[in-house]
Amino acid sequence: ETGVTQSPTHLIKTRGQQVTLRCSSQSGHNTVSWYQQALGQGPQFIFQYYREEENGRGNFPPRFSGLQFPNYSSELNVNALELDDSALYLCASSPGTSLNTGELFFGEGSRLTVL
Amino acid sequence: GENVEQHPSTLSVQEGDSAVIKCTYSDSASNYFPWYKQELGKRPQLIIDIRSNVGEKKDQRIAVTLNKTAKHFSLHITETQPEDSAVYFCAASRLIQGAQKLVFGQGTRLTINP
């Protein structure tokens, strides 16, 4: 059983650029959530995807968007990057609703620095 | 909106002593309360969780208590060891079929002094 994997692990962008972060969910999991963790803070919920549909969103502007693919992997896209977007972006997966115990399985994250 | 407050932000205890971290939540509909441990540069990992129909849960040296009326829940670690040093996050959510949004606290940096 493979865990949640994310890429890239680190990246540096400049203000105004766009970034795409990728996540492969744990085997057997069809739900993926994305969280933003600023330095020294707790993770903040961005959105969740279930069977390729967004089914929950936090207080993030529309320039944060995502996709989930038929194999349940996911992408997080951020347009018009701002300095405050610098953070660790965590992807988490969980099994289908009937098997959902509540536990989220996190990846190691993608650390984004915006200069 | 939903909010989770966590205290203290830092905690230092002697090895072998107990550590207690406390959280309060605002959304009375929350029914699931996990605790995550995050070591430096690593992913958050679930260490224990509790649902709203239970008041207390224990797993070896770790226990969690929940007071729904006061909207408080706490993490208790007994007989602390150096490997318990990490940042701990509490969280709250409504666990509904198909959707879950975890609201995290700000974290507690726990240091175990040998």
Tab-separated table of all heavy atoms in Angstrom, chain A residues 48-97:
chain	number	residue	atom	x	y	z
A	48	GLN	N	-11.884	20.256	-0.840
A	48	GLN	CA	-11.899	18.800	-0.856
A	48	GLN	C	-12.530	18.320	-2.152
A	48	GLN	O	-13.488	18.928	-2.651
A	48	GLN	CB	-12.696	18.269	0.336
A	48	GLN	CG	-12.747	16.752	0.423
A	48	GLN	CD	-13.565	16.290	1.624
A	48	GLN	OE1	-14.748	16.562	1.745
A	48	GLN	NE2	-12.915	15.582	2.523
A	49	TYR	N	-12.015	17.215	-2.676
A	49	TYR	CA	-12.572	16.598	-3.865
A	49	TYR	C	-12.980	15.167	-3.557
A	49	TYR	O	-12.260	14.422	-2.891
A	49	TYR	CB	-11.560	16.603	-5.018
A	49	TYR	CG	-11.489	17.933	-5.702
A	49	TYR	CD1	-10.677	18.939	-5.211
A	49	TYR	CD2	-12.272	18.196	-6.820
A	49	TYR	CE1	-10.641	20.178	-5.816
A	49	TYR	CE2	-12.234	19.437	-7.441
A	49	TYR	CZ	-11.413	20.417	-6.926
A	49	TYR	OH	-11.384	21.645	-7.537
A	50	TYR	N	-14.160	14.814	-4.054
A	50	TYR	CA	-14.681	13.458	-3.887
A	50	TYR	C	-15.189	13.015	-5.239
A	50	TYR	O	-16.073	13.658	-5.808
A	50	TYR	CB	-15.789	13.438	-2.840
A	50	TYR	CG	-16.545	12.140	-2.732
A	50	TYR	CD1	-15.902	10.979	-2.323
A	50	TYR	CD2	-17.905	12.077	-3.032
A	50	TYR	CE1	-16.592	9.789	-2.217
A	50	TYR	CE2	-18.598	10.890	-2.927
A	50	TYR	CZ	-17.940	9.746	-2.520
A	50	TYR	OH	-18.622	8.563	-2.416
A	51	ARG	N	-14.608	11.930	-5.762
A	51	ARG	CA	-15.010	11.399	-7.063
A	51	ARG	C	-15.050	12.499	-8.119
A	51	ARG	O	-16.043	12.656	-8.834
A	51	ARG	CB	-16.354	10.684	-6.960
A	51	ARG	CG	-16.265	9.412	-6.137
A	51	ARG	CD	-17.570	8.658	-6.146
A	51	ARG	NE	-17.451	7.382	-5.458
A	51	ARG	CZ	-18.440	6.521	-5.286
A	51	ARG	NH1	-19.644	6.803	-5.754
A	51	ARG	NH2	-18.249	5.394	-4.652
A	52	GLU	N	-13.989	13.267	-8.185
A	52	GLU	CA	-13.733	14.282	-9.211
A	52	GLU	C	-14.565	15.549	-9.067
A	52	GLU	O	-14.466	16.447	-9.907
A	52	GLU	CB	-13.922	13.694	-10.611
A	52	GLU	CG	-13.043	12.488	-10.893
A	52	GLU	CD	-13.275	11.899	-12.274
A	52	GLU	OE1	-13.110	12.641	-13.258
A	52	GLU	OE2	-13.642	10.705	-12.359
A	53	GLU	N	-15.358	15.665	-8.005
A	53	GLU	CA	-16.155	16.869	-7.795
A	53	GLU	C	-15.702	17.588	-6.517
A	53	GLU	O	-15.445	16.945	-5.494
A	53	GLU	CB	-17.649	16.521	-7.655
A	53	GLU	CG	-18.274	15.889	-8.877
A	53	GLU	CD	-18.523	16.904	-9.968
A	53	GLU	OE1	-18.735	18.098	-9.654
A	53	GLU	OE2	-18.498	16.513	-11.152
A	54	GLU	N	-15.656	18.931	-6.578
A	54	GLU	CA	-15.360	19.680	-5.363
A	54	GLU	C	-16.574	19.611	-4.444
A	54	GLU	O	-17.697	19.969	-4.856
A	54	GLU	CB	-15.044	21.140	-5.704
A	54	GLU	CG	-14.637	21.967	-4.475
A	54	GLU	CD	-14.411	23.433	-4.809
A	54	GLU	OE1	-13.492	23.747	-5.576
A	54	GLU	OE2	-15.186	24.271	-4.287
A	55	ASN	N	-16.402	19.189	-3.198
A	55	ASN	CA	-17.552	19.065	-2.295
A	55	ASN	C	-17.299	19.747	-0.961
A	55	ASN	O	-17.850	19.355	0.048
A	55	ASN	CB	-17.950	17.592	-2.108
A	55	ASN	CG	-16.963	16.831	-1.255
A	55	ASN	OD1	-15.820	17.213	-1.142
A	55	ASN	ND2	-17.408	15.752	-0.632
A	56	GLY	N	-16.493	20.780	-0.972
A	56	GLY	CA	-16.265	21.573	0.230
A	56	GLY	C	-15.145	22.548	-0.055
A	56	GLY	O	-14.158	22.184	-0.715
A	57	ARG	N	-15.269	23.771	0.436
A	57	ARG	CA	-14.260	24.786	0.172
A	57	ARG	C	-14.105	25.680	1.392
A	57	ARG	O	-15.102	26.019	2.052
A	57	ARG	CB	-14.654	25.633	-1.039
A	57	ARG	CG	-13.544	26.571	-1.503
A	57	ARG	CD	-13.938	27.359	-2.749
A	57	ARG	NE	-12.835	28.219	-3.149
A	57	ARG	CZ	-11.900	27.887	-4.040
A	57	ARG	NH1	-11.966	26.731	-4.646
A	57	ARG	NH2	-10.929	28.732	-4.345
A	58	GLY	N	-12.881	26.048	1.694
A	58	GLY	CA	-12.606	26.960	2.796
A	58	GLY	C	-12.585	28.402	2.307
A	58	GLY	O	-12.996	28.708	1.191
A	59	ASN	N	-12.095	29.317	3.147
A	59	ASN	CA	-12.094	30.739	2.830
A	59	ASN	C	-10.875	31.136	2.008
A	59	ASN	O	-10.016	31.883	2.472
A	59	ASN	CB	-12.150	31.563	4.120
A	59	ASN	CG	-13.451	31.346	4.870
A	59	ASN	OD1	-14.498	31.159	4.257
A	59	ASN	ND2	-13.375	31.339	6.190
A	60	PHE	N	-10.793	30.617	0.836
A	60	PHE	CA	-9.709	30.952	-0.086
A	60	PHE	C	-10.299	31.543	-1.351
A	60	PHE	O	-11.368	31.128	-1.803
A	60	PHE	CB	-8.877	29.695	-0.407
A	60	PHE	CG	-7.907	29.339	0.691
A	60	PHE	CD1	-8.324	28.639	1.805
A	60	PHE	CD2	-6.578	29.730	0.617
A	60	PHE	CE1	-7.436	28.335	2.830
A	60	PHE	CE2	-5.683	29.428	1.617
A	60	PHE	CZ	-6.113	28.728	2.733
A	61	PRO	N	-9.601	32.527	-1.952
A	61	PRO	CA	-10.136	33.195	-3.151
A	61	PRO	C	-10.161	32.260	-4.347
A	61	PRO	O	-9.490	31.217	-4.356
A	61	PRO	CB	-9.161	34.360	-3.356
A	61	PRO	CG	-7.892	33.915	-2.697
A	61	PRO	CD	-8.311	33.085	-1.522
A	62	PRO	N	-10.890	32.650	-5.392
A	62	PRO	CA	-11.036	31.798	-6.586
A	62	PRO	C	-9.737	31.518	-7.316
A	62	PRO	O	-9.679	30.572	-8.106
A	62	PRO	CB	-11.989	32.626	-7.477
A	62	PRO	CG	-12.731	33.494	-6.547
A	62	PRO	CD	-11.761	33.820	-5.439
A	63	ARG	N	-8.676	32.303	-7.044
A	63	ARG	CA	-7.413	32.010	-7.738
A	63	ARG	C	-6.788	30.692	-7.233
A	63	ARG	O	-5.828	30.213	-7.825
A	63	ARG	CB	-6.447	33.187	-7.601
A	63	ARG	CG	-6.097	33.575	-6.190
A	63	ARG	CD	-5.325	34.903	-6.147
A	63	ARG	NE	-4.888	35.177	-4.782
A	63	ARG	CZ	-3.784	34.665	-4.286
A	63	ARG	NH1	-3.007	33.905	-5.032
A	63	ARG	NH2	-3.453	34.922	-3.029
A	64	PHE	N	-7.366	30.149	-6.165
A	64	PHE	CA	-7.006	28.796	-5.718
A	64	PHE	C	-8.035	27.854	-6.352
A	64	PHE	O	-9.240	27.957	-6.061
A	64	PHE	CB	-7.062	28.660	-4.200
A	64	PHE	CG	-5.923	29.303	-3.479
A	64	PHE	CD1	-5.877	30.676	-3.300
A	64	PHE	CD2	-4.885	28.535	-2.959
A	64	PHE	CE1	-4.824	31.279	-2.634
A	64	PHE	CE2	-3.831	29.126	-2.285
A	64	PHE	CZ	-3.804	30.497	-2.118
A	65	SER	N	-7.575	26.968	-7.211
A	65	SER	CA	-8.488	26.038	-7.860
A	65	SER	C	-7.867	24.651	-7.869
A	65	SER	O	-6.664	24.489	-7.626
A	65	SER	CB	-8.796	26.483	-9.286
A	65	SER	OG	-7.618	26.490	-10.070
A	66	GLY	N	-8.692	23.663	-8.165
A	66	GLY	CA	-8.175	22.300	-8.132
A	66	GLY	C	-8.862	21.400	-9.123
A	66	GLY	O	-9.831	21.780	-9.799
A	67	LEU	N	-8.325	20.197	-9.193
A	67	LEU	CA	-8.884	19.155	-10.045
A	67	LEU	C	-8.664	17.828	-9.362
A	67	LEU	O	-7.688	17.646	-8.622
A	67	LEU	CB	-8.145	19.106	-11.391
A	67	LEU	CG	-8.438	20.138	-12.473
A	67	LEU	CD1	-7.465	19.944	-13.620
A	67	LEU	CD2	-9.875	20.002	-12.944
A	68	GLN	N	-9.573	16.883	-9.643
A	68	GLN	CA	-9.307	15.504	-9.274
A	68	GLN	C	-9.516	14.656	-10.518
A	68	GLN	O	-10.480	14.863	-11.263
A	68	GLN	CB	-10.205	15.024	-8.137
A	68	GLN	CG	-9.805	13.631	-7.642
A	68	GLN	CD	-10.654	13.141	-6.486
A	68	GLN	OE1	-11.833	13.465	-6.378
A	68	GLN	NE2	-10.066	12.338	-5.607
A	69	PHE	N	-8.639	13.720	-10.734
A	69	PHE	CA	-8.656	12.908	-11.946
A	69	PHE	C	-9.308	11.556	-11.670
A	69	PHE	O	-9.498	11.173	-10.508
A	69	PHE	CB	-7.225	12.736	-12.452
A	69	PHE	CG	-6.568	14.053	-12.775
A	69	PHE	CD1	-5.700	14.656	-11.874
A	69	PHE	CD2	-6.834	14.709	-13.972
A	69	PHE	CE1	-5.115	15.875	-12.156
A	69	PHE	CE2	-6.253	15.922	-14.259
A	69	PHE	CZ	-5.390	16.518	-13.348
A	70	PRO	N	-9.661	10.825	-12.752
A	70	PRO	CA	-10.334	9.522	-12.556
A	70	PRO	C	-9.562	8.545	-11.685
A	70	PRO	O	-10.162	7.677	-11.047
A	70	PRO	CB	-10.489	9.002	-13.995
A	70	PRO	CG	-10.562	10.237	-14.825
A	70	PRO	CD	-9.624	11.211	-14.160
A	71	ASN	N	-8.228	8.674	-11.620
A	71	ASN	CA	-7.451	7.779	-10.742
A	71	ASN	C	-7.347	8.341	-9.323
A	71	ASN	O	-6.600	7.817	-8.508
A	71	ASN	CB	-6.057	7.541	-11.327
A	71	ASN	CG	-5.206	8.798	-11.332
A	71	ASN	OD1	-5.678	9.900	-11.000
A	71	ASN	ND2	-3.955	8.645	-11.709
A	72	TYR	N	-8.102	9.416	-9.049
A	72	TYR	CA	-8.210	10.074	-7.751
A	72	TYR	C	-6.999	10.918	-7.376
A	72	TYR	O	-6.994	11.508	-6.286
A	72	TYR	CB	-8.552	9.094	-6.628
A	72	TYR	CG	-9.807	8.307	-6.916
A	72	TYR	CD1	-9.819	6.919	-6.804
A	72	TYR	CD2	-10.969	8.952	-7.321
A	72	TYR	CE1	-10.981	6.199	-7.089
A	72	TYR	CE2	-12.120	8.242	-7.611
A	72	TYR	CZ	-12.118	6.863	-7.490
A	72	TYR	OH	-13.256	6.148	-7.783
A	73	SER	N	-6.003	11.021	-8.244
A	73	SER	CA	-4.942	11.984	-7.989
A	73	SER	C	-5.518	13.388	-8.145
A	73	SER	O	-6.638	13.559	-8.675
A	73	SER	CB	-3.766	11.762	-8.944
A	73	SER	OG	-4.166	12.034	-10.284
A	74	SER	N	-4.777	14.385	-7.680
A	74	SER	CA	-5.341	15.733	-7.642
A	74	SER	C	-4.274	16.775	-7.925
A	74	SER	O	-3.071	16.529	-7.764
A	74	SER	CB	-5.961	15.972	-6.263
A	74	SER	OG	-6.479	17.288	-6.146
A	75	GLU	N	-4.727	17.929	-8.358
A	75	GLU	CA	-3.866	19.091	-8.547
A	75	GLU	C	-4.435	20.283	-7.805
A	75	GLU	O	-5.668	20.434	-7.709
A	75	GLU	CB	-3.791	19.474	-10.037
A	75	GLU	CG	-2.914	18.596	-10.885
A	75	GLU	CD	-2.848	19.101	-12.321
A	75	GLU	OE1	-3.515	20.100	-12.662
A	75	GLU	OE2	-2.111	18.472	-13.106
A	76	LEU	N	-3.540	21.105	-7.297
A	76	LEU	CA	-3.902	22.408	-6.735
A	76	LEU	C	-3.222	23.452	-7.609
A	76	LEU	O	-2.008	23.392	-7.824
A	76	LEU	CB	-3.416	22.522	-5.290
A	76	LEU	CG	-3.393	23.925	-4.673
A	76	LEU	CD1	-4.798	24.490	-4.548
A	76	LEU	CD2	-2.717	23.888	-3.307
A	77	ASN	N	-4.000	24.381	-8.112
A	77	ASN	CA	-3.472	25.470	-8.932
A	77	ASN	C	-3.674	26.794	-8.200
A	77	ASN	O	-4.757	27.042	-7.656
A	77	ASN	CB	-4.208	25.531	-10.274
A	77	ASN	CG	-4.009	24.266	-11.081
A	77	ASN	OD1	-2.927	23.986	-11.566
A	77	ASN	ND2	-5.063	23.459	-11.188
A	78	VAL	N	-2.638	27.616	-8.201
A	78	VAL	CA	-2.755	28.944	-7.621
A	78	VAL	C	-2.284	29.946	-8.664
A	78	VAL	O	-1.151	29.867	-9.153
A	78	VAL	CB	-1.928	29.105	-6.330
A	78	VAL	CG1	-2.225	30.460	-5.685
A	78	VAL	CG2	-2.206	27.966	-5.361
A	79	ASN	N	-3.173	30.867	-9.021
A	79	ASN	CA	-2.852	31.909	-9.995
A	79	ASN	C	-2.471	33.202	-9.285
A	79	ASN	O	-2.793	33.403	-8.106
A	79	ASN	CB	-4.064	32.184	-10.893
A	79	ASN	CG	-4.399	30.997	-11.767
A	79	ASN	OD1	-3.505	30.306	-12.251
A	79	ASN	ND2	-5.678	30.743	-11.953
A	80	ALA	N	-1.789	34.083	-10.028
A	80	ALA	CA	-1.471	35.427	-9.523
A	80	ALA	C	-0.888	35.351	-8.118
A	80	ALA	O	-1.433	35.942	-7.168
A	80	ALA	CB	-2.721	36.297	-9.554
A	81	LEU	N	0.196	34.610	-7.962
A	81	LEU	CA	0.783	34.366	-6.642
A	81	LEU	C	1.098	35.659	-5.893
A	81	LEU	O	1.551	36.655	-6.472
A	81	LEU	CB	2.063	33.548	-6.793
A	81	LEU	CG	1.856	32.068	-7.088
A	81	LEU	CD1	3.163	31.426	-7.516
A	81	LEU	CD2	1.270	31.353	-5.871
A	82	GLU	N	0.835	35.611	-4.593
A	82	GLU	CA	1.129	36.713	-3.686
A	82	GLU	C	2.143	36.226	-2.657
A	82	GLU	O	2.289	35.023	-2.419
A	82	GLU	CB	-0.151	37.185	-2.995
A	82	GLU	CG	-1.223	37.653	-3.967
A	82	GLU	CD	-2.519	38.041	-3.272
A	82	GLU	OE1	-2.595	37.926	-2.031
A	82	GLU	OE2	-3.464	38.445	-3.987
A	83	LEU	N	2.828	37.195	-2.027
A	83	LEU	CA	3.844	36.826	-1.033
A	83	LEU	C	3.260	35.946	0.069
A	83	LEU	O	3.904	35.005	0.549
A	83	LEU	CB	4.475	38.078	-0.427
A	83	LEU	CG	5.243	38.986	-1.391
A	83	LEU	CD1	5.786	40.212	-0.632
A	83	LEU	CD2	6.374	38.242	-2.064
A	84	ASP	N	2.016	36.248	0.478
A	84	ASP	CA	1.365	35.508	1.566
A	84	ASP	C	1.001	34.076	1.190
A	84	ASP	O	0.565	33.309	2.051
A	84	ASP	CB	0.100	36.231	2.024
A	84	ASP	CG	0.423	37.456	2.869
A	84	ASP	OD1	1.609	37.590	3.254
A	84	ASP	OD2	-0.483	38.253	3.143
A	85	ASP	N	1.161	33.733	-0.074
A	85	ASP	CA	0.900	32.348	-0.488
A	85	ASP	C	2.062	31.426	-0.115
A	85	ASP	O	1.956	30.202	-0.254
A	85	ASP	CB	0.652	32.269	-1.995
A	85	ASP	CG	-0.602	33.009	-2.423
A	85	ASP	OD1	-1.524	33.145	-1.592
A	85	ASP	OD2	-0.649	33.462	-3.576
A	86	SER	N	3.159	32.000	0.331
A	86	SER	CA	4.288	31.191	0.774
A	86	SER	C	3.853	30.331	1.956
A	86	SER	O	3.401	30.854	2.980
A	86	SER	CB	5.454	32.091	1.202
A	86	SER	OG	5.953	32.824	0.103
A	87	ALA	N	3.973	29.019	1.812
A	87	ALA	CA	3.475	28.099	2.838
A	87	ALA	C	3.810	26.674	2.433
A	87	ALA	O	4.299	26.423	1.331
A	87	ALA	CB	1.957	28.244	3.000
A	88	LEU	N	3.508	25.764	3.352
A	88	LEU	CA	3.558	24.338	3.058
A	88	LEU	C	2.151	23.917	2.632
A	88	LEU	O	1.189	24.172	3.356
A	88	LEU	CB	3.990	23.556	4.302
A	88	LEU	CG	4.099	22.039	4.166
A	88	LEU	CD1	5.251	21.661	3.233
A	88	LEU	CD2	4.290	21.386	5.541
A	89	TYR	N	2.022	23.323	1.474
A	89	TYR	CA	0.724	22.884	0.981
A	89	TYR	C	0.630	21.370	1.169
A	89	TYR	O	1.415	20.609	0.612
A	89	TYR	CB	0.529	23.289	-0.476
A	89	TYR	CG	0.308	24.776	-0.588
A	89	TYR	CD1	1.388	25.655	-0.643
A	89	TYR	CD2	-0.970	25.309	-0.557
A	89	TYR	CE1	1.194	27.024	-0.694
A	89	TYR	CE2	-1.179	26.680	-0.612
A	89	TYR	CZ	-0.090	27.525	-0.674
A	89	TYR	OH	-0.293	28.890	-0.709
A	90	LEU	N	-0.327	20.984	1.974
A	90	LEU	CA	-0.501	19.584	2.340
A	90	LEU	C	-1.705	18.994	1.621
A	90	LEU	O	-2.772	19.586	1.579
A	90	LEU	CB	-0.719	19.460	3.852
A	90	LEU	CG	0.472	19.827	4.739
A	90	LEU	CD1	0.014	20.070	6.168
A	90	LEU	CD2	1.519	18.722	4.699
A	91	CYS	N	-1.495	17.828	1.079
A	91	CYS	CA	-2.576	17.052	0.493
A	91	CYS	C	-2.890	15.915	1.457
A	91	CYS	O	-1.983	15.358	2.096
A	91	CYS	CB	-2.119	16.502	-0.863
A	91	CYS	SG	-3.231	15.313	-1.605
A	92	ALA	N	-4.162	15.596	1.595
A	92	ALA	CA	-4.558	14.497	2.469
A	92	ALA	C	-5.622	13.666	1.774
A	92	ALA	O	-6.493	14.208	1.091
A	92	ALA	CB	-5.099	15.036	3.792
A	93	SER	N	-5.558	12.363	1.936
A	93	SER	CA	-6.583	11.515	1.329
A	93	SER	C	-7.301	10.708	2.409
A	93	SER	O	-6.804	10.537	3.529
A	93	SER	CB	-5.974	10.590	0.270
A	93	SER	OG	-5.210	9.554	0.859
A	94	SER	N	-8.482	10.249	2.050
A	94	SER	CA	-9.265	9.407	2.940
A	94	SER	C	-10.117	8.476	2.083
A	94	SER	O	-10.340	8.752	0.901
A	94	SER	CB	-10.135	10.252	3.878
A	94	SER	OG	-10.935	11.156	3.153
A	95	PRO	N	-10.564	7.373	2.678
A	95	PRO	CA	-11.315	6.403	1.883
A	95	PRO	C	-12.727	6.874	1.573
A	95	PRO	O	-13.161	7.918	2.050
A	95	PRO	CB	-11.332	5.157	2.766
A	95	PRO	CG	-11.122	5.662	4.142
A	95	PRO	CD	-10.311	6.922	4.034
A	96	GLY	N	-13.445	6.102	0.797
A	96	GLY	CA	-14.806	6.428	0.433
A	96	GLY	C	-15.700	6.540	1.653
A	96	GLY	O	-15.376	6.104	2.744
A	97	THR	N	-16.865	7.132	1.488
A	97	THR	CA	-17.718	7.516	2.605
A	97	THR	C	-18.040	6.375	3.543
A	97	THR	O	-18.038	6.550	4.753
A	97	THR	CB	-19.023	8.108	2.083
A	97	THR	OG1	-19.635	7.159	1.221
A	97	THR	CG2	-18.766	9.386	1.315
